[in-house]
Amino acid sequence: MAVVETTKAQVMAIPQVEDALCRSCRKCGARDVCRSKATLQMDRGEPPFIDPSRCYGCRACIPACPNGAIVLNGSESSTIHP
């Protein structure tokens, strides 16, 4: 019997929150759309951050931020690689 090993896809470019652009919205749209709950905010009024160990790399948070504060830390051509 052959054993097939599966692993989580390796994410090459994790989005990041640009603190200078973040307005620390009362209801963060990026946190609402993050299915893996990788967008975290420790204290109210502080900018959130993205936990790379939880991020799937779906990038749904990027267009969800009305201030454009979420950007990729790598090149745009970097995507999820199996």
Side-chain angles (χ1 to χ4, degrees):
M1 176 190 318
V3 176
V4 177
E5 197 172 313
T6 60
T7 59
K8 183 178 170 184
Q10 184 178 17
V11 178
M12 301 305 289
I14 302 291
Q16 291 183 326
V17 177
E18 289 289 330
D19 291 350
L21 297 174
C22 181
R23 300 291 179 246
S24 300
C25 300
R26 178 178 217 131
K27 184 165 175 75
C28 178
R31 289 183 66 211
D32 289 343
V33 300
C34 185
R35 294 174 65 189
S36 65
K37 304 298 182 209
T39 307
L40 306 171
Q41 188 174 23
M42 299 311 279
D43 294 316
R44 183 169 282 206
E46 293 286 322
F49 67 95
I50 299 173
D51 182 349
S53 67
R54 293 182 178 193
C55 182
Y56 295 159
C58 72
R59 302 179 186 174
C61 57
I62 295 172
C65 178
N67 302 305
I70 302 179
V71 297
L72 288 178
N73 66 353
S75 68
E76 191 61 39
S77 63
S78 296
T79 57
I80 300 171
H81 296 283

